[in-house]
Amino acid sequence: MSLAISTEKIIILERMIRTATRIAVVTHVHPDGDAMGSTIALRSYLKTGWNKECCIVIPDACSETLDFLPDADDREHIICRSENPDAADGWIAGSDLVFCLDCNGFERTESVAPALLASNAEKVLIDHHLHPQEEQFALCFSECEISSASELLYRVLMAMPDVHDDCSVLSMHALEALMTGMTTDTNNFANSVYPGTLEMASRLLAAGVDRNAIIERIYNCYRENRLRLIGYLLGKMKILPQGVAYTVLTAEEQRRYDIHDGELEGYVNMPLAIGKVKMSIFLKEDGERFRVSIRSKKGTSANACATRYFNGGGHEQASGGRLYIPGDIAEASKAPEYIEKAIEDFYKNS
Ligand code: 5GP
Ligand code: MN
């Protein structure tokens, strides 16, 4: 029922961990619940199971809505490169084993990528995105038909000889982090749910994970501003005749609503609640570019749209990218025009 993890790969991984003295765990820029959940769970395993020295290196800070995830010890071992570039690069340079989680290659770690390229450490990929950059890694666990990097990590850990398919061997902290990652990446079990997803969730619950508390922290602790801004954005959203909804959020609007990074997580899914909407595109102005999020219903490829028009990619139904100012559009106000042309082209040529 659930994914089989190759025994040969587990033997190699076990040898890599056993012989490592310093370990770096890296994830993608703007780390989300799956990125933070999987990295924190892996660090907990390496620390409690192997007593290894391990730091998590994130390219930039994660949203404060995920503040509940790291414990006091994690906080001392998470290096945010945008805040502390020398410490981040130094940790990677001094590590003999590097894990990349929830990103398909170095590029998605943006500012961390040069340190990864320069490093001679053995590198392991654990990821669930399309197009893994296998040549960058000594060992790859890559699977797209799975809910999350957290679920894939769980499968890998369950296959380790010291865990032996018994999740109670892992710390409660690791189990909660894994539950958080799979919950946020599936949009609370609405997308990318496979038989193995529910089987894993069931085993985490049986092991004592308090899912109600996690749900409370993820979905019921927002500031009022988020909801107010979402109300405004739904009013502003446009629906094109092709069944594509798009919303553009300017820097000025973010200031007006005093919105913090990550507080609009999940907004992009909302327009898909409309029957005729097949794809939702959300642009958020961020310095000299827009950050782009795309979600689609089955039969429409968010990934193709993100790859062709928005310098990005991701999964078939959930992708992202960016739109550069002035690279792709002369000024921010031209974004709607760009999107409408892109969608016309997308449907003409697909
Ligand atoms: P989100 O909309 O939540 O930022 O991203 C949705 C999905 O698209 C995630 O799986 C994420 O990894 C992927 N994604 C987001 N931005 C980019 C990007 O710039 N490049 C690529 N290749 N994938 C992205
Ligand atoms: Mn993920």
Side-chain angles (χ1 to χ4, degrees):
M1 164 156 112
S2 65
L3 175 82
I5 299 288
S6 134
T7 312
E8 292 77 41
K9 287 189 185 179
I10 291 296
I11 291 168
I12 298 170
L13 179 62
E14 210 256 2
R15 193 265 307 151
M16 286 176 170
I17 295 173
R18 187 165 20 85
T19 56
T21 52
R22 221 167 96 161
I23 303 175
V25 179
V26 178
T27 190
H28 61 78
V29 69
H30 296 303
D32 57 6
D34 190 29
M36 294 313 297
S38 59
T39 54
I40 286 172
L42 178 56
R43 197 185 93 81
S44 174
Y45 169 71
L46 294 170
K47 193 183 72 154
T48 57
W50 293 87
N51 200 23
K52 294 287 174 181
E53 244 199 299
C54 171
C55 278
I56 296 169
V57 177
I58 53 178
D60 52 2
C62 69
S63 153
E64 60 211 47
T65 58
L66 294 170
D67 272 353
F68 70 96
L69 258 185
D71 64 15
D73 186 62
D74 292 325
R75 286 176 202 281
E76 285 177 21
H77 295 88
I78 294 178
I79 308 172
C80 176
R81 194 184 182 283
S82 64
E83 289 162 13
N84 207 338
D86 293 342
D89 294 350
W91 188 268
I92 290 172
S95 293
D96 45 10
L97 180 58
V98 174
F99 286 89
C100 285
L101 301 191
D102 200 30
C103 53
N104 59 0
F106 299 167
E107 200 188 319
R108 290 280 295 133
T109 70
E110 293 195 357
S111 65
V112 178
L116 293 174
L117 273 172
S119 142
N120 291 320
E122 289 191 297
K123 301 187 190 78
V124 181
L125 178 74
I126 303 178
D127 181 51
H128 68 129
H129 293 93
L130 300 166
H131 315 304
Q133 304 295 297
E134 300 201 0
E135 68 287 353
Q136 296 175 333
F137 299 91
L139 185 61
C140 284
F141 297 92
S142 167
E143 173 59 51
C144 299
E145 302 278 299
I146 196 163
S147 66
S148 52
S150 295
E151 184 181 340
L152 184 54
L153 172 65
Y154 169 85
R155 302 278 162 220
V156 170
L157 296 182
M158 287 303 114
M160 291 295 284
D162 57 326
V163 179
H164 202 65
D165 208 27
D166 176 3
C167 64
S168 69
V169 171
L170 302 182
S171 67
M172 187 51 67
H173 183 49
L175 298 179
E176 286 170 353
L178 293 171
M179 176 65 98
T180 303
M182 80 186 313
T183 300
T184 56
D185 251 30
T186 57
N187 191 16
N188 203 6
F189 297 87
N191 325 111
S192 314
V193 172
Y194 299 88
T197 316
L198 296 179
E199 186 232 4
M200 168 178 161
S202 164
R203 290 184 61 185
L204 295 186
L205 286 181
V209 167
D210 185 349
R211 192 174 134 75
N212 292 337
I214 292 174
I215 293 299
E216 196 62 24
R217 294 306 304 260
I218 301 173
Y219 298 111
N220 295 339
C221 286
Y222 292 115
R223 295 185 310 141
E224 182 181 341
N225 304 35
R226 166 185 155 98
L227 272 289
R228 299 281 177 207
L229 178 54
I230 285 175
Y232 168 79
L233 288 177
L234 288 172
K236 198 186 172 200
M237 167 192 75
K238 286 237 162 65
I239 303 179
L240 300 175
Q242 296 90 340
V244 175
Y246 77 85
T247 318
V248 178
L249 174 64
T250 66
E252 187 278 318
E253 289 161 337
Q254 291 173 59
R255 278 194 296 276
R256 190 164 8 121
Y257 281 84
D258 179 32
I259 207 77
H260 301 173
D261 219 32
E263 274 192 313
L264 286 176
E265 194 70 41
Y267 167 74
V268 63
N269 294 296
M270 291 183 178
L272 293 180
I274 302 166
K276 66 178 177 184
V277 171
K278 299 186 199 110
M279 182 155 70
S280 164
I281 304 177
F282 177 43
L283 266 67
K284 186 163 172 268
E285 193 176 353
D286 177 22
E288 310 218 303
R289 62 189 185 178
F290 280 95
R291 265 154 62 188
V292 182
S293 281
I294 308 180
R295 300 291 184 273
S296 62
K297 291 179 180 162
K298 279 245 148 40
T300 303
S301 175
N303 179 61
C305 185
T307 309
R308 277 196 227 159
Y309 307 105
F310 297 104
N311 308 295
H315 312 280
E316 206 46 26
Q317 258 69 64
S319 280
R322 52 218 62 204
L323 189 66
Y324 294 101
I325 319 162
D328 297 310
I329 49 176
E331 52 185 81
S333 65
K334 303 280 186 214
E337 195 184 311
Y338 180 94
I339 298 169
E340 293 187 16
K341 275 206 188 111
I343 292 310
E344 213 169 282
D345 186 78
F346 185 63
Y347 281 93
K348 233 187 261 156
N349 298 306
S350 65

